[in-house]
Amino acid sequence: MRFGVVVFPGSNCDADCYHVIKDVLQEEVDYIWHKESQLGAYDAIILPGGFSYGDYLRTGAIARFSPIMPAVIDFANRGGLVIGICNGFQILLEAGLLPGAMLRNQSLKFICDTAYLKVKRNDTPFTNQLAAGQLMKVPIAHGEGNYYCDEATLEELRRNNQILFTYSNAAGEDSPDFNPNGSIANIAGIINKEGNVLGMMPHPERCSEEVLGGTDGVNIFVSMVKSFQEVIQRCKN
Amino acid sequence: MQELNYREMGLLDEEYEKIKEIMGREPNYLELSIWAVMWSEHCGYKNSRPLLKTFPTEGPRVIQGPGENAGIVDIGDGQALVFKIESHNHPSAIEPYQGAATGVGGIVRDIFTMGARPIASLNSLRFGNIEDARVRELFAGVVAGIGDYGNCLGIPTVGGEVYFNPSYQGNPLVNAMCVGLVNSDEIALAVASDVGSPLMLVGAKTGRDGIHGATFASEELSEKSQQKRPSVQVGDPFMEKLLIEACLQLIKEDLVAGMQDLGAAGLTSSISESASKKGRGVEIDVLKVPRREKGMTPYEIMISESQERMLIVPRAGKEKRIKEIFDTWGLDAVVIGQVTDDGMFRVFEGKKMVGEVPNAELTAGCPVYVRAGQEPSYYQECKRFDIDALPEIKIGEALQKLLGSPNIASKRWVYSQYDYQVMTNTSIIPGNGDAAVLRIKGTDKGVAMTTDCNSRFVYLDPYQGGMLAVCESARNLACVGARPLALTNCLNFGNPEKTHIYWQMQESIKGMAAAAKNLNTPVVSGNVSLYNETAAGAIYPTPVVGMVGLLPDIKHRVDMSFKDEGDIVVLLGRLRDELGGSEYLAVCHGVESGAVPVVDLDEEKKLIELSLELIGKDMLKSCHDISEGGLAVALAESAIKGNIGFKVNIEGQKGRADKTLFSEAPGRVAVSLERDKLPELTAMANNKEIEVHVIGQVEGSNICINKGNQHINMAVCDAAKIWGEAIECHMK
Amino acid sequence: MLKANVYVTLKEGVLDPQGDAVKKSLHVLEYQGVKEVRIGKFIEVCLESKDKESALRELEEMSDKLLANPVMEDYRVEIVEVE
């Protein structure tokens, strides 16, 4: 499977994602410079974390106009797997690939911590190696991770089962008491209706190796590989 | 802008005379400014150089000692660590957010200038009393500034320290350290350029930021410095991130003969330093410098401290490729001058020469002052302070107070604002071990790093305090399983023209040098910050040590948390009872006095070796050194971090319980291990002549300590609440 | 009741990284005519007062103390409505 990691000026988790795909999963991976206007033959695209364009004006607002973005949008619309992590999620929101917007954390402070995530469903290309209801311990690090959308959108997200991860406590309760940033409905990650675009604030690439204290995150990338292999298998049959 | 005279620029009468003598005439305003910034303490180290020479700077692992942008030590496999610590105290006192942010920016530039990728930041912070609203504002601003800048760069901030003491009221200390990783064959040393080489300026445009910042940093803070406020620099971490990527690419492709960041004294200092290496001269045209503001004079352009700028000397014929790379990253690079052969530093405004100064005299000619220090009367008075006359208070109450003291309490409020995991290397995160540990990708190795200084000790006894700072750093590294390699230091003192301040410098440097020599941790880089005084007096002398260490195999790393019920708790080192200068005396008795615990360097060295051997053999489940708050606090922290209790009985020592439990005497660590490993541990310790005290075991959910007829019994969760929330409560 | 607008802007000459980044991005979007972008804050304050003069003084005081950072920002106060 071939991954592409888009590098915007100011991306800073690009190398981390690249490392997990190449050295942990041992799959193929390339960096894609944001000034490119076409995507090569990739099976999945990662929009990594960081501070694209310094997060100036609004997070993701300037990156969304990078030359590469029309190609990424096109790739997503054709069913390609796209995962946006942290700043990548913010860019997906600004680009309109996912609904909603990001506000500053309720504390008005940057938060670096480890959060418990509750997996809401496992019938997606990003969670097929996880169990529904399973808890994951995943690092978070953001200043603007307070996901917001209006009531109607939230209703729609719920109706379509688009909420993939919620923040919870160690016992799996995802109530507002266990919400690190004020995110509406404790949302930590959502997918689009079609299920091929995921945006999440927590960093799965930071918990994909034992030496970093946990491996819960690697399952998300492994799920993507698995799902890709199944598609190939189906095509062959 | 109103013109300053030489005294206002910080030059002494005799210095001005010397300048006139060198030039054979009166310098013009631009020339005078150039002399003043280059001969400031900040650039010229004129008060500290003779003292700094006494540090040990060599060792088998040292690739680069002091004199470059940062020091370098070998970590094997053709890799090296590049590191340095630097102060940004004065700018942070004026504008805490930008001051701290640009402090991080400056030290990061020092690291990648040498070709290294910055892999971690640390910081050492000192503030006045946290009860004071202005102090909280400074504290919050500094932390946010460090966080926002480092987070945006994607360099994890993995460690550091924060202390509160009234001596820093109005004069906070903000020391930032950066550690970089480099392949030894890709190290770039400062410019050694050929005649005719062009000088390229890259990065941000030049504005009127921080004019006279370097001289400003060499003055006491006063009402007057408040008026100098408009000179504050603003940091742009986004620009810096682009600079890092572009500059590292230049070095990878071997395109540059030299690279120098623009820090204090801006263009003047970086140009002069790049030319001085081979006795070259240099000429530049200020009109070619991209400017942000209209009507800037040559003087303003030459000493502006606008951030995020680099000076590049290309290798012959590589200019075009360099421009291409900068273009990719959206950065402007322009040629502003060239290297000449006659040793003169010339400034042109278009065709007109507006200043001419002999370059060698600017750098090497900086005057040096060897002053006479004098022992102040407080030193002996404090040493004689009678601790036995103080009433003994209940040790349970004392422990509660100590856990809630902002100097001991969890610094979570601080480090949760720092991205400490980006780059996916951080293996021991802030708060979990005595030092931060990072893995080196593609190897089994780990590196550890820490910053330390107990300035109360240094104040009470500069010689012992200097040794203690070095020892604590080394011990902290050993506690996670890393062999201490080398250190960098940031020497923060008051006004060196005062005899007792100079004495503090002399003595503490002597102590640090002795410890560094004994522990084989040479000093490879550093920075000096003097004149840290306000009307109320000088800060406590604060020579901060930043140290790096190496773990041959990161899988052996150990943190500080107790793990399993039934593990035995052992004190390695002596039971000691010196309380002088302790946090206990300060918090429970309101006293900052007493004789500082005495350091035994040989014992310290043996303890470090023993800890490394034990950890290398996977014998320890936790390891935590005894420092602020003494044995009781060390054990409580291990319990809180492990969320499990312990029961400890201290026997074999007579005397007051508070002395045994809260003494901060060095040379000791508290460890936990499986009971059946005790005989082997004892044998190994005997070998090293280190005492072993089996004091109890990990059990239950309470902190239980018995010493004679005094007892502590406190639920771990209650202790965790006090310790965990103390700073947060203040900052709400 | 009285309503005021407070405009907080960076002092002339103080670097505005955010404004620069936005300017560059506008150029990428082919608004080549954009020469400079500087970003500030806009603050609406409602005051329990009817006296414009004293309200203005009070707002200036607030701006000096809190709303603006005198180290690097200027401000301008406009009283827009008096009920």
Side-chain angles (χ1 to χ4, degrees):
Chain A
M1 182 173 183
R2 193 150 166 246
F3 285 80
V5 178
V6 178
V7 183
F8 300 97
S11 292
N12 64 28
C13 302
D14 44 341
D16 302 353
C17 292
Y18 185 96
H19 165 73
V20 169
I21 303 300
K22 184 160 184 276
D23 300 324
V24 181
L25 265 62
Q26 306 200 326
E27 297 288 338
E28 284 179 72
V29 57
D30 294 320
Y31 289 117
I32 304 168
W33 185 236
H34 73 113
K35 280 185 184 165
E36 304 287 328
S37 55
Q38 290 189 338
L39 281 179
Y42 292 104
D43 306 310
I45 295 296
I46 300 177
L47 303 188
F51 289 72
S52 55
Y53 294 93
D55 267 3
Y56 296 138
L57 196 61
R58 280 188 317 279
T59 54
I62 301 180
R64 176 251 176 283
F65 288 108
S66 278
I68 193 67
M69 282 310 287
V72 172
I73 292 169
D74 184 54
F75 179 78
N77 288 341
R78 285 186 288 112
L81 290 183
V82 177
I83 175 171
I85 299 166
C86 200
N87 191 225
F89 186 10
Q90 293 161 343
I91 296 169
L92 288 175
L93 295 175
E94 284 284 340
L97 281 172
L98 291 170
M102 232 24 114
L103 302 176
R104 282 184 76 185
N105 295 343
Q106 217 161 41
S107 66
L108 300 181
K109 288 191 168 56
F110 188 93
I111 303 172
C112 185
D113 205 344
T114 294
Y116 284 98
L117 301 189
K118 192 168 182 173
V119 181
K120 302 301 266 190
R121 50 186 282 210
N122 67 347
D123 57 341
T124 78
F126 305 99
T127 52
N128 58 47
Q129 298 300 297
L130 296 154
Q134 184 181 335
L135 289 183
M136 304 166 72
K137 263 175 97 171
V138 186
I140 54 170
H142 54 249
E144 302 191 20
N146 178 357
Y147 178 80
Y148 172 81
C149 64
D150 59 26
E151 271 305 315
T153 310
L154 181 62
E155 194 40 52
E156 202 183 325
L157 287 174
R158 284 185 167 136
R159 200 170 47 239
N160 299 326
N161 282 324
Q162 284 175 256
I163 302 172
L164 197 53
F165 304 113
T166 52
Y167 297 110
S168 82
N169 66 356
E173 300 164 67
D174 50 1
S175 79
D177 292 343
F178 311 111
N179 182 332
N181 53 26
S183 199
I184 197 164
N186 278 35
I187 285 175
I190 55 173
I191 50 174
N192 63 349
K193 253 184 256 175
E194 295 73 20
N196 63 313
V197 178
L198 164 65
M200 64 188 295
M201 286 313 292
H203 287 275
E205 79 279 13
R206 295 187 183 186
C207 54
S208 291
E209 293 161 276
E210 209 49 75
V211 69
L212 303 178
T215 57
D216 285 353
V218 78
N219 294 318
I220 290 176
F221 301 108
V222 173
S223 294
M224 292 171 75
V225 174
K226 191 85 182 163
S227 137
F228 171 72
Q229 286 165 345
E230 275 166 12
V231 171
I232 296 290
Q233 202 55 44
R234 268 206 304 277
C235 292
K236 276 186 187 160
N237 297 341
Chain B
M1 186 175 277
Q2 203 191 329
E3 296 211 344
L4 308 170
N5 64 36
Y6 69 85
R7 285 191 192 137
E8 288 166 324
M9 288 184 188
L11 289 171
L12 302 173
D13 290 356
E14 61 260 37
E15 290 169 345
Y16 185 64
E17 288 307 316
K18 192 175 167 195
I19 290 166
K20 281 200 294 190
E21 196 187 305
I22 292 169
M23 297 191 65
R25 61 177 167 89
E26 298 261 343
N28 67 28
Y29 193 64
L30 169 66
E31 291 162 343
L32 182 61
S33 310
I34 291 175
W35 286 108
V37 294
M38 291 304 292
W39 283 13
S40 67
E41 178 63 35
H42 198 86
C43 293
Y45 295 98
K46 56 190 175 188
N47 287 295
S48 50
R49 226 185 309 165
L51 297 176
L52 300 180
K53 280 193 179 144
T54 61
F55 283 131
T57 58
E58 286 172 3
R61 285 192 181 265
V62 176
I63 296 177
Q64 179 63 54
E68 282 282 341
N69 286 301
I72 309 181
V73 288
D74 182 24
I75 56 166
D77 307 319
Q79 293 177 312
L81 289 182
V82 180
F83 64 102
K84 187 185 179 183
I85 189 166
E86 201 166 67
S87 66
H88 229 216
N89 304 334
H90 286 62
S92 304
I94 304 294
E95 217 303 301
Y97 181 91
Q98 293 295 346
T102 51
V104 174
I107 192 66
V108 166
R109 280 194 298 283
D110 275 332
I111 301 307
F112 73 75
T113 296
M114 305 205 62
R117 171 155 307 265
I119 58 166
S121 287
L122 299 93
N123 52 74
S124 175
L125 312 177
R126 301 285 188 294
F127 302 94
N129 191 334
I130 197 171
E131 309 281 346
D132 182 288
R134 172 65 187 155
V135 167
R136 288 197 298 271
E137 196 185 312
L138 281 171
F139 176 37
V142 164
V143 170
I146 290 172
D148 285 356
Y149 201 97
N151 297 347
C152 185
L153 288 184
I155 299 169
T157 304
V158 298
E161 43 174 2
V162 186
Y163 287 96
F164 302 90
N165 185 287
S167 85
Y168 303 105
Q169 195 83 21
N171 195 132
L173 300 187
V174 176
N175 294 176
M177 173 170 164
C178 185
V179 182
L181 179 68
V182 68
N183 290 329
S184 307
D185 57 2
E186 286 172 359
I187 294 168
L189 298 181
V191 183
S193 29
D194 296 325
V195 174
S197 296
L199 298 169
M200 290 173 98
L201 183 63
V202 61
K205 289 189 170 60
T206 300
R208 290 190 175 92
D209 317 70
I211 287 186
H212 272 301
T215 36
F216 179 49
S218 311
E219 276 175 26
E220 289 180 31
L221 286 171
S222 63
E223 287 296 314
K224 226 175 159 186
S225 45
Q226 297 289 321
Q227 293 164 13
K228 292 185 184 172
R229 276 181 152 193
S231 69
V232 164
Q233 311 104 312
V234 173
D236 180 358
F238 174 53
M239 175 71 83
E240 177 114 334
K241 168 76 176 159
L242 303 181
L243 273 178
I244 296 176
E245 299 304 331
C247 291
L248 288 180
Q249 199 175 339
L250 297 190
I251 290 168
K252 270 258 175 298
E253 295 189 20
D254 196 21
L255 303 173
V256 292
M259 200 173 336
Q260 184 75 38
D261 72 306
L262 276 71
L267 268 175
T268 298
S269 153
S270 61
I271 288 182
S272 160
E273 275 163 30
S274 25
S276 72
K277 297 278 167 185
K278 272 191 188 170
R280 301 288 191 220
V282 69
E283 52 185 43
I284 85 143
D285 178 358
V286 293
L287 292 185
K288 291 191 176 143
V289 174
R291 284 146 289 164
R292 206 174 71 227
E293 296 179 63
K294 287 200 183 100
M296 289 183 72
T297 63
Y299 149 78
E300 289 171 325
I301 295 168
M302 287 309 292
I303 65 168
S304 157
E305 296 192 356
S306 289
Q307 299 290 298
E308 291 93 20
R309 298 178 299 163
M310 300 287 286
L311 188 73
I312 310 269
V313 184
R315 283 202 189 287
K318 300 294 183 189
E319 256 176 87
K320 188 163 159 271
R321 176 63 190 143
I322 289 174
K323 280 206 165 154
E324 269 171 27
I325 290 174
F326 282 128
D327 196 43
T328 307
W329 290 97
L331 296 167
D332 298 324
V334 293
V335 173
I336 59 164
Q338 61 172 339
V339 178
T340 62
D341 62 356
D342 66 354
M344 295 302 281
F345 183 146
R346 290 195 187 86
V347 181
F348 288 83
E349 189 176 23
K351 291 215 164 89
K352 185 177 146 212
M353 187 167 82
V354 289
E356 183 182 34
V357 176
N359 193 43
E361 302 285 351
L362 265 188
T363 47
C366 180
V368 172
Y369 301 109
V370 181
R371 300 181 186 277
Q374 200 186 344
E375 184 185 296
S377 58
Y378 81 80
Y379 174 60
Q380 293 298 341
E381 283 162 27
C382 288
K383 264 191 157 175
R384 283 194 301 268
F385 182 83
D386 183 12
I387 291 166
D388 289 318
L390 294 172
E392 190 172 3
I393 59 173
K394 285 194 175 140
I395 56 174
E397 280 169 28
L399 180 60
Q400 283 199 7
K401 277 192 181 166
L402 283 168
L403 290 174
S405 156
N407 289 339
I408 285 176
S410 165
K411 304 300 182 294
R412 190 168 179 278
W413 185 87
V414 176
Y415 64 73
S416 67
Q417 296 183 55
Y418 302 153
D419 188 342
Y420 47 78
Q421 286 176 306
V422 63
M423 295 185 96
T424 58
N425 295 321
T426 317
S427 192
I428 293 186
I429 63 173
N432 282 5
D434 282 355
V437 174
L438 277 74
R439 58 102 174 251
I440 302 291
K441 284 192 182 106
T443 73
D444 294 329
K445 286 181 302 201
V447 290
M449 48 202 76
T450 177
T451 66
D452 297 282
C453 177
N454 183 327
S455 65
R456 195 187 286 136
F457 283 165
V458 185
Y459 170 75
L460 292 173
D461 190 334
Y463 179 68
Q464 291 291 329
M467 286 202 286
L468 282 161
V470 174
C471 289
E472 188 180 351
S473 276
R475 204 185 316 125
N476 280 336
L477 295 178
C479 281
V480 296
R483 174 169 297 280
L485 297 182
L487 69 89
T488 177
N489 54 31
C490 193
L491 308 173
N492 307 274
F493 294 94
N495 180 349
E497 295 156 35
K498 298 178 183 167
T499 56
H500 73 287
I501 301 285
Y502 197 75
W503 171 81
Q504 290 174 346
M505 285 172 66
Q506 267 178 318
E507 290 297 305
S508 58
I509 286 173
K510 205 160 89 186
M512 293 173 91
K517 190 157 184 278
N518 203 284
L519 301 178
N520 299 322
T521 51
V523 179
V524 296
S525 59
N527 166 247
V528 179
S529 171
L530 304 180
Y531 301 93
N532 289 290
E533 300 205 6
T534 61
I539 58 159
Y540 274 179
T542 315
V544 174
V545 173
M547 202 181 276
V548 298
L550 178 66
L551 295 92
D553 191 340
I554 196 171
K555 73 169 188 284
H556 299 304
R557 71 195 180 278
V558 170
D559 63 21
M560 66 161 78
S561 63
F562 286 152
K563 304 287 185 306
D564 300 300
E565 190 91 21
D567 287 344
I568 50 168
V569 176
V570 173
L571 173 73
L572 297 175
R574 288 177 286 139
L575 282 164
R576 294 176 69 168
D577 60 7
E578 301 104 303
L579 270 184
S582 64
E583 185 71 8
Y584 167 75
L585 284 192
V587 169
C588 297
H589 296 281
V591 170
E592 296 192 63
S593 188
V596 164
V598 174
V599 182
D600 178 338
L601 287 176
D602 286 329
E603 181 186 55
E604 193 76 60
K605 198 172 170 181
K606 285 174 186 161
L607 178 77
I608 287 169
E609 290 302 327
L610 175 63
S611 306
L612 290 175
E613 272 182 30
L614 290 167
I615 293 172
K617 286 187 156 186
D618 285 331
M619 300 216 352
L620 304 184
K621 286 203 185 164
S622 72
C623 189
H624 189 14
D625 90 311
I626 288 158
S627 56
E628 283 86 3
L631 176 62
V633 165
L635 295 172
E637 285 174 342
S638 290
I640 291 168
K641 278 288 161 186
N643 194 22
I644 189 165
F646 65 86
K647 197 166 185 179
V648 155
N649 273 305
I650 311 282
E651 287 159 1
Q653 196 181 29
K654 295 201 179 78
R656 284 166 60 157
D658 58 351
K659 287 188 168 184
T660 307
L661 292 177
F662 304 122
S663 165
E664 298 174 9
R668 290 123 35 94
V669 297
V671 304
S672 67
L673 64 156
E674 279 168 24
R675 187 170 288 276
D676 59 9
K677 289 189 170 148
L678 181 61
E680 197 182 348
L681 174 133
T682 309
M684 288 164 71
N686 285 345
N687 235 337
K688 292 269 186 301
E689 297 164 310
I690 296 290
E691 288 183 23
V692 174
H693 298 272
V694 181
I695 53 176
Q697 69 172 0
V698 176
E699 65 169 61
S701 53
N702 277 25
I703 291 170
C704 298
I705 302 176
N706 298 311
K707 163 80 174 76
N709 57 0
Q710 282 243 50
H711 313 284
I712 295 174
N713 191 347
M714 189 190 302
V716 172
C717 58
D718 292 340
K721 203 170 155 58
I722 296 169
W723 180 80
E725 293 176 5
I727 289 184
E728 226 160 304
C729 286
H730 281 291
M731 299 309 290
K732 263 179 189 156
Chain C
M1 278 285 277
L2 176 151
K3 196 174 148 200
N5 292 345
V6 183
Y7 300 87
V8 180
T9 50
L10 283 171
K11 277 186 180 163
E12 202 186 309
V14 171
L15 176 70
D16 180 9
Q18 178 166 231
D20 282 349
V22 170
K23 178 181 79 181
K24 278 190 188 158
S25 179
L26 288 170
H27 287 169
V28 171
L29 294 176
E30 291 177 1
Y31 295 103
Q32 292 304 337
V34 176
K35 287 293 166 229
E36 200 182 3
V37 176
R38 294 189 58 86
I39 295 177
K41 293 191 189 98
F42 167 64
I43 303 164
E44 286 181 346
V45 182
C46 292
L47 262 185
E48 199 69 76
S49 162
K50 282 198 170 136
D51 177 19
K52 266 182 134 173
E53 289 280 308
S54 68
L56 195 63
R57 265 201 313 279
E58 215 179 338
L59 280 156
E60 283 174 351
E61 209 181 290
M62 292 179 212
S63 303
D64 281 329
K65 276 189 188 156
L66 177 69
L67 302 181
N69 175 353
V71 178
M72 43 201 268
E73 291 171 331
D74 287 328
Y75 61 86
R76 181 164 58 84
V77 181
E78 255 178 32
I79 309 276
V80 284
E81 240 178 75
V82 188
E83 270 177 32

